[in-house]
Amino acid sequence: MVILGLGSNVGDRMANLRKALIAIRQIPGMIVEQVSPVYLSDALLPENAPPEWDMPHLNLALRCHTTLEPLDLLDQLKKIEWSIGRKPEVRHWGPRILDVDILAWNSDIIKSERLTVPHESLQERPFALWPLADVAPDWRFPLNGPYHDKTAAEIGEQWGSRFTGNAPLRARQIYQRIDTPQLMGVVNVTPDSFSDGGAFLEAEKALQQALYLVYSGAEIIDIGAESTAPSAKPLTADIEWQRLEPVLAAIQAAKDKFMILPKISIDTRHSEVAAKALKQGVDWINDVTGLEDEAMRELVCTSKADCVVMHHMSIPASRQHVLPRHQDPVRLVYEWGAKQIDVLEKAGISRERIIFDPGIGFGKVAEHSLQLIRHTDVFKQLGTRVLIGHSRKSFLSLFTPHTFAERDIETLSIALYLAKQPVDYLRVHNVEMCARGFRVQAAL
């Protein structure tokens, strides 16, 4: 048993950790058996460190099995650090894109010029010891002293709760994970959305909801000002922007308040709105029409933003315009996606920037939506990232008579299924419930 510790405090920290996990899984003779939750902590700094070094860290642990020898594994891990952007350096304390350390190797003690195991001061660092205890609670500390032969779980008890931030360096466990789909939280700046219309029309309320969603586990915030529910009235681009602009301005002004800086997605089908949002620095354009508008394609092409391409039959959704009942919905949606992605590539938008959404509930009867969810693995063959938006939708009437806003249990059940599928993002309303479910599922 080998326990690796991963850390990052520069750039897109969650992305750095995900890249490291992918690379570690590709090391010959290496099997990743379990991934810990992520922990947020203040930087551990030497005296007289420059102020710019004081950047919060994200840390986690991996329990692995390997056929490699310790120094051979160390060489592989250093190559991964450098491939993700960390350069060979002498200093040991400064900010870094990625750290990958060998925290423990069975109960062995290794002391050499290049490697010390257990990792130095492991028993004094909750940001390292807690993740280790999450994946190997029965690992026993092998060094002489007050912690000799104590389990990782026992040693971790000295700091109390993992969640309060009262441990040294304010270390605490957060909801975001690197081994499950990323959660996209929804902020509807609309009076007529099907489950929470009118709740976040004011910019300050929308900002507070965005902050709460990130605290609850979201890494992307999807902001929409026009409802696509069947009963919704279409908006002009001017009215849509009047709703969006103050919310974007409030989020931009409050960047320092976010525990993790989220990617901002704008849910719009109007190229005029998308153009203004891109000038405000948004990261994604989520177009429910699948970028059918040439002006939208040209706009995305000339930007750096990613785009969500959603299958649909009509916008707003209509019960009169649905896929044929006697045909395979997975095949029809896949074929539409392949054609539309080809159109986007010819317009200059690379496949790496495209996120495909099969459009659960848009132009599908309930049984169609269920089939698409069962076979989400098929859409990975498009060569893009995949997003599923199933939260609280009408197809869940197959399972419950409860109103849209009361369908979080059904939403969670499907999210737990999708967490084991090749899905990159889940768009959900109750982010915290899904994140808590992922946490337990991963532990089991």
Side-chain angles (χ1 to χ4, degrees), residues 147-182:
Y147 297 105
H148 178 256
D149 208 38
K150 288 186 179 294
T151 66
E154 287 179 287
I155 298 171
E157 290 173 357
Q158 66 181 301
W159 301 302
S161 171
R162 287 165 159 78
F163 309 105
T164 61
N166 293 328
L169 299 173
R170 298 191 297 174
R172 64 180 178 89
Q173 190 181 126
I174 62 175
Y175 284 115
Q176 286 81 359
R177 296 189 65 90
I178 67 166
D179 57 339
T180 58
Q182 294 180 52

Coordinates of all heavy atoms in Angstrom, one line a residue, residues 147-182:
Y147 N 3.4 9.2 18.8 CA 2.4 8.6 17.9 C 2.7 7.2 17.4 O 2.0 6.7 16.5 CB 2.3 9.6 16.7 CG 1.8 11.0 17.0 CD1 2.7 12.0 17.1 CD2 0.5 11.2 17.4 CE1 2.3 13.3 17.4 CE2 0.1 12.5 17.7 CZ 1.0 13.5 17.7 OH 0.5 14.7 18.1
H148 N 3.8 6.6 17.9 CA 4.2 5.3 17.4 C 3.1 4.3 17.5 O 2.4 4.1 18.5 CB 5.4 4.8 18.2 CG 5.9 3.4 17.8 ND1 5.6 2.3 18.5 CD2 6.5 3.0 16.7 CE1 6.1 1.2 17.9 NE2 6.6 1.6 16.8
D149 N 2.8 3.6 16.4 CA 1.8 2.6 16.3 C 0.4 3.0 16.4 O -0.5 2.2 16.4 CB 2.1 1.4 17.3 CG 1.6 0.1 16.8 OD1 1.8 -0.2 15.6 OD2 1.0 -0.7 17.6
K150 N 0.2 4.3 16.4 CA -1.2 4.8 16.4 C -1.7 4.8 14.9 O -0.9 5.0 14.0 CB -1.3 6.3 17.0 CG -1.1 6.3 18.5 CD -1.4 7.8 19.0 CE -1.2 7.8 20.5 NZ -2.3 7.1 21.2
T151 N -3.0 4.6 14.8 CA -3.5 4.6 13.4 C -3.7 6.1 12.9 O -3.7 7.0 13.7 CB -4.9 3.9 13.4 OG1 -5.8 4.7 14.1 CG2 -4.8 2.5 13.9
A152 N -3.8 6.2 11.6 CA -4.0 7.5 11.0 C -5.3 8.1 11.6 O -5.4 9.3 11.9 CB -4.1 7.4 9.5
A153 N -6.3 7.3 11.8 CA -7.6 7.8 12.3 C -7.4 8.4 13.7 O -8.0 9.4 14.1 CB -8.7 6.7 12.3
E154 N -6.6 7.7 14.5 CA -6.4 8.1 15.9 C -5.6 9.4 15.9 O -6.0 10.3 16.7 CB -5.6 7.1 16.7 CG -6.4 5.8 17.1 CD -5.5 4.8 17.8 OE1 -4.6 4.2 17.1 OE2 -5.6 4.7 19.0
I155 N -4.6 9.5 15.1 CA -3.8 10.7 15.1 C -4.6 11.9 14.6 O -4.5 13.0 15.2 CB -2.6 10.6 14.2 CG1 -1.7 9.4 14.7 CG2 -1.7 11.9 14.1 CD1 -0.6 9.0 13.7
G156 N -5.5 11.7 13.7 CA -6.3 12.8 13.1 C -7.3 13.3 14.1 O -7.8 14.4 14.0
E157 N -7.6 12.5 15.2 CA -8.6 13.0 16.1 C -8.1 14.2 17.0 O -8.9 14.9 17.6 CB -9.0 11.8 17.1 CG -9.8 10.7 16.4 CD -10.0 9.5 17.3 OE1 -9.5 9.5 18.4 OE2 -10.7 8.6 16.8
Q158 N -6.8 14.4 17.0 CA -6.3 15.5 17.8 C -6.8 16.9 17.4 O -6.8 17.8 18.2 CB -4.7 15.5 17.8 CG -4.2 15.8 16.4 CD -2.7 15.7 16.4 OE1 -2.0 16.5 17.1 NE2 -2.1 14.9 15.5
W159 N -7.2 17.0 16.1 CA -7.7 18.3 15.6 C -9.2 18.5 15.6 O -9.7 19.5 15.2 CB -7.1 18.5 14.2 CG -5.6 18.4 14.2 CD1 -4.7 19.2 14.9 CD2 -4.8 17.5 13.4 NE1 -3.4 18.8 14.6 CE2 -3.5 17.8 13.7 CE3 -5.1 16.5 12.5 CZ2 -2.4 17.1 13.1 CZ3 -4.1 15.8 11.9 CH2 -2.8 16.1 12.2
G160 N -9.9 17.5 16.1 CA -11.4 17.7 16.2 C -12.0 17.4 14.8 O -11.6 16.6 14.0
S161 N -13.0 18.2 14.5 CA -13.8 18.0 13.3 C -13.0 18.4 12.0 O -12.3 19.4 12.0 CB -15.1 18.9 13.3 OG -15.7 18.9 12.1
R162 N -13.2 17.6 11.0 CA -12.6 17.9 9.7 C -13.2 19.1 9.0 O -12.7 19.6 8.0 CB -12.7 16.7 8.7 CG -11.9 15.5 9.0 CD -12.4 14.3 8.3 NE -11.4 13.3 8.1 CZ -11.1 12.4 9.0 NH1 -11.6 12.4 10.2 NH2 -10.2 11.4 8.7
F163 N -14.4 19.6 9.5 CA -15.2 20.5 8.7 C -15.2 22.0 9.2 O -15.7 22.9 8.6 CB -16.6 20.0 8.6 CG -16.7 18.6 8.1 CD1 -16.9 17.5 9.0 CD2 -16.4 18.3 6.8 CE1 -17.0 16.2 8.5 CE2 -16.4 17.0 6.3 CZ -16.7 15.9 7.2
T164 N -14.7 22.2 10.4 CA -14.9 23.5 11.1 C -13.8 24.5 10.7 O -14.1 25.7 10.8 CB -14.9 23.4 12.6 OG1 -13.6 22.8 13.0 CG2 -16.0 22.5 13.1
G165 N -12.7 24.1 10.2 CA -11.6 25.0 10.0 C -10.8 25.4 11.2 O -10.1 26.4 11.2
N166 N -11.0 24.7 12.3 CA -10.4 25.1 13.6 C -9.0 24.4 13.8 O -8.3 24.6 14.8 CB -11.2 24.7 14.8 CG -12.5 25.6 14.8 OD1 -12.5 26.8 14.4 ND2 -13.6 25.0 15.3
A167 N -8.6 23.5 12.8 CA -7.3 22.8 12.9 C -6.2 23.8 12.5 O -6.5 24.9 12.0 CB -7.4 21.6 11.9
P168 N -5.0 23.4 12.7 CA -3.8 24.2 12.3 C -4.0 24.6 10.8 O -4.4 23.8 10.0 CB -2.6 23.4 12.5 CG -3.0 22.5 13.7 CD -4.5 22.2 13.5
L169 N -3.6 25.8 10.5 CA -3.6 26.3 9.1 C -5.1 26.4 8.6 O -5.3 26.4 7.4 CB -2.8 25.5 8.1 CG -1.3 25.5 8.5 CD1 -0.5 24.6 7.6 CD2 -0.7 26.9 8.4
R170 N -6.0 26.4 9.5 CA -7.5 26.4 9.1 C -7.8 25.3 8.2 O -8.7 25.5 7.3 CB -7.8 27.8 8.6 CG -7.6 28.9 9.6 CD -8.3 30.2 9.1 NE -7.7 30.7 7.8 CZ -8.1 31.7 7.1 NH1 -9.2 32.4 7.5 NH2 -7.5 32.1 6.0
A171 N -7.2 24.2 8.2 CA -7.4 23.1 7.3 C -8.9 22.6 7.5 O -9.3 22.4 8.7 CB -6.4 21.9 7.6
R172 N -9.6 22.3 6.4 CA -10.9 21.7 6.5 C -11.2 21.0 5.2 O -10.7 21.4 4.1 CB -11.9 22.8 6.8 CG -12.1 23.9 5.7 CD -13.2 24.9 6.2 NE -13.4 25.9 5.2 CZ -14.2 25.9 4.2 NH1 -14.9 24.8 4.0 NH2 -14.4 26.9 3.4
Q173 N -12.1 20.1 5.3 CA -12.6 19.3 4.2 C -13.6 20.1 3.4 O -14.5 20.8 4.0 CB -13.1 18.0 4.6 CG -13.4 17.0 3.4 CD -14.0 15.7 3.9 OE1 -15.1 15.3 3.4 NE2 -13.4 15.0 4.8
I174 N -13.6 20.1 2.1 CA -14.5 20.8 1.3 C -15.3 19.8 0.4 O -15.0 18.6 0.4 CB -13.9 21.9 0.4 CG1 -12.9 21.3 -0.6 CG2 -13.2 23.0 1.2 CD1 -12.3 22.3 -1.6
Y175 N -16.4 20.3 -0.2 CA -17.3 19.4 -0.9 C -16.8 19.0 -2.3 O -17.1 17.9 -2.8 CB -18.7 20.0 -1.1 CG -19.5 20.0 0.2 CD1 -19.9 21.2 0.8 CD2 -19.9 18.8 0.7 CE1 -20.7 21.2 1.9 CE2 -20.7 18.8 1.8 CZ -21.1 20.0 2.4 OH -21.9 20.0 3.6
Q176 N -15.9 19.8 -2.9 CA -15.5 19.5 -4.3 C -14.6 18.3 -4.3 O -13.9 18.0 -3.3 CB -14.7 20.7 -4.8 CG -15.5 21.9 -5.3 CD -15.9 22.8 -4.2 OE1 -15.6 22.6 -3.0 NE2 -16.6 23.9 -4.5
R177 N -14.7 17.5 -5.3 CA -13.9 16.2 -5.5 C -13.3 16.2 -6.9 O -13.8 16.9 -7.8 CB -14.8 15.0 -5.3 CG -15.4 14.8 -3.9 CD -16.0 13.4 -3.8 NE -15.0 12.4 -3.9 CZ -14.4 11.9 -2.8 NH1 -14.7 12.3 -1.6 NH2 -13.5 10.9 -3.0
I178 N -12.2 15.4 -7.0 CA -11.6 15.3 -8.3 C -11.9 14.0 -9.0 O -11.5 13.7 -10.2 CB -10.1 15.5 -8.3 CG1 -9.4 14.3 -7.5 CG2 -9.7 16.8 -7.6 CD1 -7.9 14.2 -7.7
D179 N -12.7 13.1 -8.4 CA -12.9 11.8 -8.9 C -14.4 11.6 -9.3 O -14.9 10.4 -9.5 CB -12.5 10.7 -8.0 CG -13.1 10.8 -6.6 OD1 -13.6 11.9 -6.2 OD2 -13.1 9.8 -5.9
T180 N -15.2 12.6 -9.3 CA -16.6 12.6 -9.7 C -16.9 13.7 -10.7 O -16.0 14.6 -10.9 CB -17.5 12.8 -8.5 OG1 -17.2 14.1 -7.9 CG2 -17.3 11.7 -7.4
P181 N -18.0 13.7 -11.4 CA -18.3 14.8 -12.3 C -18.3 16.1 -11.5 O -18.7 16.2 -10.4 CB -19.8 14.4 -12.8 CG -19.9 12.9 -12.6 CD -19.1 12.6 -11.4
Q182 N -17.9 17.1 -12.2 CA -17.9 18.5 -11.6 C -19.4 18.9 -11.6 O -20.2 18.7 -12.5 CB -17.1 19.4 -12.5 CG -15.6 19.1 -12.5 CD -14.8 20.1 -13.3 OE1 -15.0 21.3 -13.1 NE2 -14.0 19.6 -14.2

